[in-house]
Amino acid sequence: MKIYTPNMSPPAAERPPLQARADALGGKVLEGDVRLTLHVEHQSQGETSGIFEATAGKVEIVFPFTEHATILEGEVTLTDETGTTRTLGPGDSYFIRQGERILWDVKTPRLRKSFFNLVR
């Protein structure tokens, strides 16, 4: 069992974390030099879960998976294709369907979230 709480320290990863620029993973960077870190806890048959971190900046991304996530640290403003905007912080959760176009605007030096992704 894994427990994630707001403002927690990153988990000790069994595998080395993925570290990349946001544009290397399919996002279009609109502002900043956005860096990503991913600690995978579980991966099997189109499912992935773990801890994701991003540095400040704006990124537009068409989600390549369906995702449920909870913000653990930092603040992000999400805007969908209809213009609906919501700012999320520690303890807030969201659900995004595969194929949705989302604008991520990370307002703090670092955003950390726990996530569960499903690819269909």
Side-chain angles (χ1 to χ4, degrees), residues 17-88:
L18 166 70
Q19 296 184 350
R21 285 178 36 94
D23 53 0
L25 297 178
K28 179 181 176 187
V29 177
L30 304 177
E31 191 175 290
D33 181 24
V34 181
R35 301 287 174 156
L36 310 176
T37 303
L38 181 68
H39 297 271
V40 174
E41 297 285 350
H42 164 79
Q43 194 165 33
S44 175
Q45 300 176 357
E47 301 173 353
T48 305
S49 65
I51 299 292
F52 170 93
E53 296 179 2
T55 59
K58 287 184 184 180
V59 176
E60 181 182 66
I61 185 166
V62 176
F63 266 65
F65 41 71
T66 295
E67 178 173 74
H68 182 271
T70 300
I71 307 302
L72 299 172
E73 178 183 328
E75 184 178 282
V76 62
T77 298
L78 303 180
T79 305
D80 69 13
E81 292 174 287
T82 69
T84 300
T85 298
R86 177 77 191 271
T87 299
L88 305 172

Side-chain angles (χ1 to χ4, degrees), residues 4-8 51-52 67-78 86-94 104 106 108 110-115:
Y4 303 118
T5 58
N7 300 311
M8 65 172 280
I51 299 292
F52 170 93
E67 178 173 74
H68 182 271
T70 300
I71 307 302
L72 299 172
E73 178 183 328
E75 184 178 282
V76 62
T77 298
L78 303 180
R86 177 77 191 271
T87 299
L88 305 172
D92 292 330
S93 298
Y94 67 81
W104 277 82
V106 176
T108 51
R110 179 175 63 187
L111 174 77
R112 181 181 293 139
K113 68 179 182 178
S114 66
F115 70 90

